[in-house]
mmCIF file with all atom_site columns, all heavy atoms in Angstrom:
data_model
loop_
_atom_site.group_PDB
_atom_site.id
_atom_site.type_symbol
_atom_site.label_atom_id
_atom_site.label_alt_id
_atom_site.label_comp_id
_atom_site.label_asym_id
_atom_site.label_entity_id
_atom_site.label_seq_id
_atom_site.pdbx_PDB_ins_code
_atom_site.Cartn_x
_atom_site.Cartn_y
_atom_site.Cartn_z
_atom_site.occupancy
_atom_site.B_iso_or_equiv
_atom_site.pdbx_formal_charge
_atom_site.auth_seq_id
_atom_site.auth_comp_id
_atom_site.auth_asym_id
_atom_site.auth_atom_id
_atom_site.pdbx_PDB_model_num
ATOM 1   N N   . ILE N 1 2  ? 110.230 121.840 98.807  1.00 61.00 ? 1461 ILE N N   1
ATOM 2   C CA  . ILE N 1 2  ? 109.167 120.946 98.334  1.00 61.00 ? 1461 ILE N CA  1
ATOM 3   C C   . ILE N 1 2  ? 107.900 121.255 99.136  1.00 61.00 ? 1461 ILE N C   1
ATOM 4   O O   . ILE N 1 2  ? 107.888 121.171 100.358 1.00 61.00 ? 1461 ILE N O   1
ATOM 5   C CB  . ILE N 1 2  ? 109.571 119.480 98.504  1.00 61.00 ? 1461 ILE N CB  1
ATOM 6   C CG1 . ILE N 1 2  ? 110.797 119.167 97.666  1.00 61.00 ? 1461 ILE N CG1 1
ATOM 7   C CG2 . ILE N 1 2  ? 108.405 118.564 98.131  1.00 61.00 ? 1461 ILE N CG2 1
ATOM 8   C CD1 . ILE N 1 2  ? 111.343 117.781 97.875  1.00 61.00 ? 1461 ILE N CD1 1
ATOM 9   N N   . PHE N 1 4  ? 104.778 119.855 98.229  1.00 71.00 ? 1463 PHE N N   1
ATOM 10  C CA  . PHE N 1 4  ? 103.851 118.729 98.169  1.00 71.00 ? 1463 PHE N CA  1
ATOM 11  C C   . PHE N 1 4  ? 104.624 117.464 97.844  1.00 71.00 ? 1463 PHE N C   1
ATOM 12  O O   . PHE N 1 4  ? 105.422 117.448 96.928  1.00 71.00 ? 1463 PHE N O   1
ATOM 13  C CB  . PHE N 1 4  ? 102.778 118.969 97.106  1.00 71.00 ? 1463 PHE N CB  1
ATOM 14  C CG  . PHE N 1 4  ? 101.831 117.819 96.959  1.00 71.00 ? 1463 PHE N CG  1
ATOM 15  C CD1 . PHE N 1 4  ? 100.844 117.592 97.878  1.00 71.00 ? 1463 PHE N CD1 1
ATOM 16  C CD2 . PHE N 1 4  ? 101.952 116.938 95.891  1.00 71.00 ? 1463 PHE N CD2 1
ATOM 17  C CE1 . PHE N 1 4  ? 99.977  116.524 97.746  1.00 71.00 ? 1463 PHE N CE1 1
ATOM 18  C CE2 . PHE N 1 4  ? 101.098 115.869 95.754  1.00 71.00 ? 1463 PHE N CE2 1
ATOM 19  C CZ  . PHE N 1 4  ? 100.106 115.669 96.687  1.00 71.00 ? 1463 PHE N CZ  1
ATOM 20  N N   . PRO N 1 7  ? 102.061 110.671 98.492  1.00 71.00 ? 1466 PRO N N   1
ATOM 21  C CA  . PRO N 1 7  ? 102.111 109.647 99.538  1.00 71.00 ? 1466 PRO N CA  1
ATOM 22  C C   . PRO N 1 7  ? 102.834 108.404 99.024  1.00 71.00 ? 1466 PRO N C   1
ATOM 23  O O   . PRO N 1 7  ? 102.890 108.165 97.818  1.00 71.00 ? 1466 PRO N O   1
ATOM 24  C CB  . PRO N 1 7  ? 100.637 109.341 99.823  1.00 71.00 ? 1466 PRO N CB  1
ATOM 25  C CG  . PRO N 1 7  ? 99.899  109.830 98.633  1.00 71.00 ? 1466 PRO N CG  1
ATOM 26  C CD  . PRO N 1 7  ? 100.720 110.927 98.018  1.00 71.00 ? 1466 PRO N CD  1
ATOM 27  N N   . PRO N 1 8  ? 103.411 107.613 99.929  1.00 71.00 ? 1467 PRO N N   1
ATOM 28  C CA  . PRO N 1 8  ? 104.091 106.399 99.487  1.00 71.00 ? 1467 PRO N CA  1
ATOM 29  C C   . PRO N 1 8  ? 103.121 105.455 98.791  1.00 71.00 ? 1467 PRO N C   1
ATOM 30  O O   . PRO N 1 8  ? 101.917 105.440 99.073  1.00 71.00 ? 1467 PRO N O   1
ATOM 31  C CB  . PRO N 1 8  ? 104.631 105.775 100.777 1.00 71.00 ? 1467 PRO N CB  1
ATOM 32  C CG  . PRO N 1 8  ? 103.922 106.468 101.879 1.00 71.00 ? 1467 PRO N CG  1
ATOM 33  C CD  . PRO N 1 8  ? 103.392 107.757 101.368 1.00 71.00 ? 1467 PRO N CD  1
ATOM 34  N N   . ALA N 1 9  ? 103.653 104.676 97.891  1.00 74.00 ? 1468 ALA N N   1
ATOM 35  C CA  . ALA N 1 9  ? 102.821 103.711 97.164  1.00 74.00 ? 1468 ALA N CA  1
ATOM 36  C C   . ALA N 1 9  ? 102.239 102.691 98.135  1.00 74.00 ? 1468 ALA N C   1
ATOM 37  O O   . ALA N 1 9  ? 102.888 102.279 99.084  1.00 74.00 ? 1468 ALA N O   1
ATOM 38  C CB  . ALA N 1 9  ? 103.654 103.010 96.100  1.00 74.00 ? 1468 ALA N CB  1
ATOM 39  N N   . ARG N 1 10 ? 101.005 102.329 97.917  1.00 73.00 ? 1469 ARG N N   1
ATOM 40  C CA  . ARG N 1 10 ? 100.367 101.321 98.756  1.00 73.00 ? 1469 ARG N CA  1
ATOM 41  C C   . ARG N 1 10 ? 100.915 99.950  98.388  1.00 73.00 ? 1469 ARG N C   1
ATOM 42  O O   . ARG N 1 10 ? 101.142 99.665  97.219  1.00 73.00 ? 1469 ARG N O   1
ATOM 43  C CB  . ARG N 1 10 ? 98.858  101.339 98.546  1.00 73.00 ? 1469 ARG N CB  1
ATOM 44  C CG  . ARG N 1 10 ? 98.261  102.684 98.958  1.00 73.00 ? 1469 ARG N CG  1
ATOM 45  C CD  . ARG N 1 10 ? 96.793  102.630 98.860  1.00 73.00 ? 1469 ARG N CD  1
ATOM 46  N NE  . ARG N 1 10 ? 96.356  102.170 100.172 1.00 73.00 ? 1469 ARG N NE  1
ATOM 47  C CZ  . ARG N 1 10 ? 95.110  101.928 100.484 1.00 73.00 ? 1469 ARG N CZ  1
ATOM 48  N NH1 . ARG N 1 10 ? 94.176  102.081 99.603  1.00 73.00 ? 1469 ARG N NH1 1
ATOM 49  N NH2 . ARG N 1 10 ? 94.787  101.524 101.684 1.00 73.00 ? 1469 ARG N NH2 1
ATOM 50  N N   . PRO N 1 11 ? 101.131 99.109  99.398  1.00 68.00 ? 1470 PRO N N   1
ATOM 51  C CA  . PRO N 1 11 ? 101.647 97.775  99.078  1.00 68.00 ? 1470 PRO N CA  1
ATOM 52  C C   . PRO N 1 11 ? 100.641 96.985  98.253  1.00 68.00 ? 1470 PRO N C   1
ATOM 53  O O   . PRO N 1 11 ? 99.434  97.147  98.398  1.00 68.00 ? 1470 PRO N O   1
ATOM 54  C CB  . PRO N 1 11 ? 101.855 97.130  100.447 1.00 68.00 ? 1470 PRO N CB  1
ATOM 55  C CG  . PRO N 1 11 ? 101.040 97.922  101.387 1.00 68.00 ? 1470 PRO N CG  1
ATOM 56  C CD  . PRO N 1 11 ? 100.870 99.298  100.798 1.00 68.00 ? 1470 PRO N CD  1
ATOM 57  N N   . ALA N 1 20 ? 97.478  83.411  101.256 1.00 86.00 ? 1479 ALA N N   1
ATOM 58  C CA  . ALA N 1 20 ? 98.416  84.477  100.875 1.00 86.00 ? 1479 ALA N CA  1
ATOM 59  C C   . ALA N 1 20 ? 98.039  85.781  101.570 1.00 86.00 ? 1479 ALA N C   1
ATOM 60  O O   . ALA N 1 20 ? 98.907  86.517  102.048 1.00 86.00 ? 1479 ALA N O   1
ATOM 61  C CB  . ALA N 1 20 ? 98.431  84.653  99.364  1.00 86.00 ? 1479 ALA N CB  1
ATOM 62  N N   . TRP N 1 24 ? 100.262 87.838  104.273 1.00 87.00 ? 1483 TRP N N   1
ATOM 63  C CA  . TRP N 1 24 ? 100.554 89.243  104.038 1.00 87.00 ? 1483 TRP N CA  1
ATOM 64  C C   . TRP N 1 24 ? 100.120 90.091  105.234 1.00 87.00 ? 1483 TRP N C   1
ATOM 65  O O   . TRP N 1 24 ? 100.875 90.945  105.705 1.00 87.00 ? 1483 TRP N O   1
ATOM 66  C CB  . TRP N 1 24 ? 99.849  89.728  102.768 1.00 87.00 ? 1483 TRP N CB  1
ATOM 67  C CG  . TRP N 1 24 ? 99.981  91.207  102.576 1.00 87.00 ? 1483 TRP N CG  1
ATOM 68  C CD1 . TRP N 1 24 ? 101.024 91.855  101.986 1.00 87.00 ? 1483 TRP N CD1 1
ATOM 69  C CD2 . TRP N 1 24 ? 99.067  92.202  103.016 1.00 87.00 ? 1483 TRP N CD2 1
ATOM 70  N NE1 . TRP N 1 24 ? 100.803 93.212  102.036 1.00 87.00 ? 1483 TRP N NE1 1
ATOM 71  C CE2 . TRP N 1 24 ? 99.609  93.456  102.661 1.00 87.00 ? 1483 TRP N CE2 1
ATOM 72  C CE3 . TRP N 1 24 ? 97.840  92.167  103.671 1.00 87.00 ? 1483 TRP N CE3 1
ATOM 73  C CZ2 . TRP N 1 24 ? 98.975  94.656  102.931 1.00 87.00 ? 1483 TRP N CZ2 1
ATOM 74  C CZ3 . TRP N 1 24 ? 97.205  93.371  103.957 1.00 87.00 ? 1483 TRP N CZ3 1
ATOM 75  C CH2 . TRP N 1 24 ? 97.769  94.599  103.584 1.00 87.00 ? 1483 TRP N CH2 1
ATOM 76  N N   . ASP N 1 27 ? 102.421 89.583  108.205 1.00 93.00 ? 1486 ASP N N   1
ATOM 77  C CA  . ASP N 1 27 ? 103.705 90.250  107.958 1.00 93.00 ? 1486 ASP N CA  1
ATOM 78  C C   . ASP N 1 27 ? 103.590 91.765  108.128 1.00 93.00 ? 1486 ASP N C   1
ATOM 79  O O   . ASP N 1 27 ? 104.459 92.403  108.719 1.00 93.00 ? 1486 ASP N O   1
ATOM 80  C CB  . ASP N 1 27 ? 104.230 89.928  106.564 1.00 93.00 ? 1486 ASP N CB  1
ATOM 81  C CG  . ASP N 1 27 ? 104.671 88.481  106.416 1.00 93.00 ? 1486 ASP N CG  1
ATOM 82  O OD1 . ASP N 1 27 ? 104.825 87.791  107.445 1.00 93.00 ? 1486 ASP N OD1 1
ATOM 83  O OD2 . ASP N 1 27 ? 104.863 88.047  105.259 1.00 93.00 ? 1486 ASP N OD2 1
ATOM 84  N N   . GLU N 1 28 ? 102.519 92.348  107.615 1.00 90.00 ? 1487 GLU N N   1
ATOM 85  C CA  . GLU N 1 28 ? 102.323 93.796  107.734 1.00 90.00 ? 1487 GLU N CA  1
ATOM 86  C C   . GLU N 1 28 ? 102.122 94.209  109.190 1.00 90.00 ? 1487 GLU N C   1
ATOM 87  O O   . GLU N 1 28 ? 102.700 95.194  109.648 1.00 90.00 ? 1487 GLU N O   1
ATOM 88  C CB  . GLU N 1 28 ? 101.114 94.250  106.903 1.00 90.00 ? 1487 GLU N CB  1
ATOM 89  C CG  . GLU N 1 28 ? 101.406 94.381  105.444 1.00 90.00 ? 1487 GLU N CG  1
ATOM 90  C CD  . GLU N 1 28 ? 102.448 95.453  105.151 1.00 90.00 ? 1487 GLU N CD  1
ATOM 91  O OE1 . GLU N 1 28 ? 102.257 96.619  105.557 1.00 90.00 ? 1487 GLU N OE1 1
ATOM 92  O OE2 . GLU N 1 28 ? 103.457 95.116  104.525 1.00 90.00 ? 1487 GLU N OE2 1
ATOM 93  N N   . ARG N 1 32 ? 104.714 96.630  111.268 1.00 92.00 ? 1491 ARG N N   1
ATOM 94  C CA  . ARG N 1 32 ? 104.270 97.925  111.775 1.00 92.00 ? 1491 ARG N CA  1
ATOM 95  C C   . ARG N 1 32 ? 104.254 98.035  113.293 1.00 92.00 ? 1491 ARG N C   1
ATOM 96  O O   . ARG N 1 32 ? 104.473 99.113  113.829 1.00 92.00 ? 1491 ARG N O   1
ATOM 97  C CB  . ARG N 1 32 ? 102.867 98.229  111.255 1.00 92.00 ? 1491 ARG N CB  1
ATOM 98  C CG  . ARG N 1 32 ? 102.840 98.470  109.770 1.00 92.00 ? 1491 ARG N CG  1
ATOM 99  C CD  . ARG N 1 32 ? 101.416 98.619  109.286 1.00 92.00 ? 1491 ARG N CD  1
ATOM 100 N NE  . ARG N 1 32 ? 101.373 98.670  107.852 1.00 92.00 ? 1491 ARG N NE  1
ATOM 101 C CZ  . ARG N 1 32 ? 100.876 99.686  107.175 1.00 92.00 ? 1491 ARG N CZ  1
ATOM 102 N NH1 . ARG N 1 32 ? 100.377 100.712 107.801 1.00 92.00 ? 1491 ARG N NH1 1
ATOM 103 N NH2 . ARG N 1 32 ? 100.875 99.661  105.861 1.00 92.00 ? 1491 ARG N NH2 1
ATOM 104 N N   . TYR N 1 33 ? 103.954 96.958  114.004 1.00 93.00 ? 1492 TYR N N   1
ATOM 105 C CA  . TYR N 1 33 ? 103.668 97.091  115.428 1.00 93.00 ? 1492 TYR N CA  1
ATOM 106 C C   . TYR N 1 33 ? 104.584 96.322  116.372 1.00 93.00 ? 1492 TYR N C   1
ATOM 107 O O   . TYR N 1 33 ? 104.484 96.503  117.580 1.00 93.00 ? 1492 TYR N O   1
ATOM 108 C CB  . TYR N 1 33 ? 102.217 96.696  115.702 1.00 93.00 ? 1492 TYR N CB  1
ATOM 109 C CG  . TYR N 1 33 ? 101.249 97.578  114.956 1.00 93.00 ? 1492 TYR N CG  1
ATOM 110 C CD1 . TYR N 1 33 ? 100.505 97.073  113.898 1.00 93.00 ? 1492 TYR N CD1 1
ATOM 111 C CD2 . TYR N 1 33 ? 101.100 98.904  115.293 1.00 93.00 ? 1492 TYR N CD2 1
ATOM 112 C CE1 . TYR N 1 33 ? 99.622  97.880  113.205 1.00 93.00 ? 1492 TYR N CE1 1
ATOM 113 C CE2 . TYR N 1 33 ? 100.228 99.724  114.598 1.00 93.00 ? 1492 TYR N CE2 1
ATOM 114 C CZ  . TYR N 1 33 ? 99.488  99.209  113.563 1.00 93.00 ? 1492 TYR N CZ  1
ATOM 115 O OH  . TYR N 1 33 ? 98.628  100.008 112.868 1.00 93.00 ? 1492 TYR N OH  1
ATOM 116 N N   . ASP N 1 34 ? 105.477 95.475  115.878 1.00 93.00 ? 1493 ASP N N   1
ATOM 117 C CA  . ASP N 1 34 ? 106.329 94.704  116.781 1.00 93.00 ? 1493 ASP N CA  1
ATOM 118 C C   . ASP N 1 34 ? 107.180 95.579  117.694 1.00 93.00 ? 1493 ASP N C   1
ATOM 119 O O   . ASP N 1 34 ? 107.332 95.285  118.873 1.00 93.00 ? 1493 ASP N O   1
ATOM 120 C CB  . ASP N 1 34 ? 107.221 93.737  116.005 1.00 93.00 ? 1493 ASP N CB  1
ATOM 121 C CG  . ASP N 1 34 ? 106.661 92.332  115.987 1.00 93.00 ? 1493 ASP N CG  1
ATOM 122 O OD1 . ASP N 1 34 ? 105.513 92.141  116.414 1.00 93.00 ? 1493 ASP N OD1 1
ATOM 123 O OD2 . ASP N 1 34 ? 107.385 91.428  115.541 1.00 93.00 ? 1493 ASP N OD2 1
ATOM 124 N N   . SER N 1 35 ? 107.734 96.656  117.168 1.00 91.00 ? 1494 SER N N   1
ATOM 125 C CA  . SER N 1 35 ? 108.592 97.500  118.005 1.00 91.00 ? 1494 SER N CA  1
ATOM 126 C C   . SER N 1 35 ? 107.795 98.155  119.127 1.00 91.00 ? 1494 SER N C   1
ATOM 127 O O   . SER N 1 35 ? 108.277 98.269  120.256 1.00 91.00 ? 1494 SER N O   1
ATOM 128 C CB  . SER N 1 35 ? 109.305 98.559  117.168 1.00 91.00 ? 1494 SER N CB  1
ATOM 129 O OG  . SER N 1 35 ? 108.362 99.417  116.554 1.00 91.00 ? 1494 SER N OG  1
ATOM 130 N N   . LEU N 1 37 ? 105.028 96.905  120.507 1.00 90.00 ? 1496 LEU N N   1
ATOM 131 C CA  . LEU N 1 37 ? 104.633 95.862  121.446 1.00 90.00 ? 1496 LEU N CA  1
ATOM 132 C C   . LEU N 1 37 ? 105.792 95.390  122.314 1.00 90.00 ? 1496 LEU N C   1
ATOM 133 O O   . LEU N 1 37 ? 105.576 94.855  123.402 1.00 90.00 ? 1496 LEU N O   1
ATOM 134 C CB  . LEU N 1 37 ? 104.032 94.676  120.687 1.00 90.00 ? 1496 LEU N CB  1
ATOM 135 C CG  . LEU N 1 37 ? 102.691 94.953  120.025 1.00 90.00 ? 1496 LEU N CG  1
ATOM 136 C CD1 . LEU N 1 37 ? 102.284 93.769  119.159 1.00 90.00 ? 1496 LEU N CD1 1
ATOM 137 C CD2 . LEU N 1 37 ? 101.632 95.248  121.060 1.00 90.00 ? 1496 LEU N CD2 1
ATOM 138 N N   . ALA N 1 38 ? 107.012 95.614  121.867 1.00 92.00 ? 1497 ALA N N   1
ATOM 139 C CA  . ALA N 1 38 ? 108.184 95.197  122.638 1.00 92.00 ? 1497 ALA N CA  1
ATOM 140 C C   . ALA N 1 38 ? 108.545 96.198  123.739 1.00 92.00 ? 1497 ALA N C   1
ATOM 141 O O   . ALA N 1 38 ? 109.326 95.884  124.625 1.00 92.00 ? 1497 ALA N O   1
ATOM 142 C CB  . ALA N 1 38 ? 109.372 95.007  121.702 1.00 92.00 ? 1497 ALA N CB  1
ATOM 143 N N   . LEU N 1 45 ? 100.476 103.298 133.928 1.00 93.00 ? 1504 LEU N N   1
ATOM 144 C CA  . LEU N 1 45 ? 99.392  102.576 133.263 1.00 93.00 ? 1504 LEU N CA  1
ATOM 145 C C   . LEU N 1 45 ? 99.105  101.255 133.971 1.00 93.00 ? 1504 LEU N C   1
ATOM 146 O O   . LEU N 1 45 ? 97.939  100.897 134.178 1.00 93.00 ? 1504 LEU N O   1
ATOM 147 C CB  . LEU N 1 45 ? 99.734  102.332 131.789 1.00 93.00 ? 1504 LEU N CB  1
ATOM 148 C CG  . LEU N 1 45 ? 98.692  101.583 130.970 1.00 93.00 ? 1504 LEU N CG  1
ATOM 149 C CD1 . LEU N 1 45 ? 97.344  102.302 131.001 1.00 93.00 ? 1504 LEU N CD1 1
ATOM 150 C CD2 . LEU N 1 45 ? 99.163  101.413 129.538 1.00 93.00 ? 1504 LEU N CD2 1
ATOM 151 N N   . LEU N 1 48 ? 97.080  102.011 137.038 1.00 92.00 ? 1507 LEU N N   1
ATOM 152 C CA  . LEU N 1 48 ? 95.671  102.285 136.700 1.00 92.00 ? 1507 LEU N CA  1
ATOM 153 C C   . LEU N 1 48 ? 94.900  101.000 136.426 1.00 92.00 ? 1507 LEU N C   1
ATOM 154 O O   . LEU N 1 48 ? 93.761  100.837 136.840 1.00 92.00 ? 1507 LEU N O   1
ATOM 155 C CB  . LEU N 1 48 ? 95.569  103.208 135.481 1.00 92.00 ? 1507 LEU N CB  1
ATOM 156 C CG  . LEU N 1 48 ? 95.885  104.666 135.699 1.00 92.00 ? 1507 LEU N CG  1
ATOM 157 C CD1 . LEU N 1 48 ? 95.936  105.385 134.366 1.00 92.00 ? 1507 LEU N CD1 1
ATOM 158 C CD2 . LEU N 1 48 ? 94.853  105.298 136.600 1.00 92.00 ? 1507 LEU N CD2 1
ATOM 159 N N   . LEU N 1 49 ? 95.540  100.090 135.711 1.00 91.00 ? 1508 LEU N N   1
ATOM 160 C CA  . LEU N 1 49 ? 94.873  98.813  135.400 1.00 91.00 ? 1508 LEU N CA  1
ATOM 161 C C   . LEU N 1 49 ? 94.623  98.003  136.667 1.00 91.00 ? 1508 LEU N C   1
ATOM 162 O O   . LEU N 1 49 ? 93.568  97.373  136.805 1.00 91.00 ? 1508 LEU N O   1
ATOM 163 C CB  . LEU N 1 49 ? 95.719  98.010  134.408 1.00 91.00 ? 1508 LEU N CB  1
ATOM 164 C CG  . LEU N 1 49 ? 95.811  98.597  133.005 1.00 91.00 ? 1508 LEU N CG  1
ATOM 165 C CD1 . LEU N 1 49 ? 96.835  97.844  132.179 1.00 91.00 ? 1508 LEU N CD1 1
ATOM 166 C CD2 . LEU N 1 49 ? 94.459  98.587  132.336 1.00 91.00 ? 1508 LEU N CD2 1
ATOM 167 N N   . GLU N 1 51 ? 94.149  99.205  139.676 1.00 91.00 ? 1510 GLU N N   1
ATOM 168 C CA  . GLU N 1 51 ? 93.142  99.894  140.480 1.00 91.00 ? 1510 GLU N CA  1
ATOM 169 C C   . GLU N 1 51 ? 91.729  99.650  139.981 1.00 91.00 ? 1510 GLU N C   1
ATOM 170 O O   . GLU N 1 51 ? 90.789  99.687  140.759 1.00 91.00 ? 1510 GLU N O   1
ATOM 171 C CB  . GLU N 1 51 ? 93.422  101.401 140.506 1.00 91.00 ? 1510 GLU N CB  1
ATOM 172 C CG  . GLU N 1 51 ? 94.658  101.760 141.289 1.00 91.00 ? 1510 GLU N CG  1
ATOM 173 C CD  . GLU N 1 51 ? 95.022  103.222 141.159 1.00 91.00 ? 1510 GLU N CD  1
ATOM 174 O OE1 . GLU N 1 51 ? 94.285  103.974 140.475 1.00 91.00 ? 1510 GLU N OE1 1
ATOM 175 O OE2 . GLU N 1 51 ? 96.055  103.617 141.726 1.00 91.00 ? 1510 GLU N OE2 1
#
Side-chain angles (χ1 to χ4, degrees):
I1461 298 174
F1463 178 76
R1469 298 185 90 183
W1483 173 85
D1486 291 346
E1487 281 297 304
R1491 292 174 188 239
Y1492 299 110
D1493 261 9
S1494 62
L1496 292 173
L1504 180 57
L1507 285 172
L1508 292 171
E1510 291 173 2

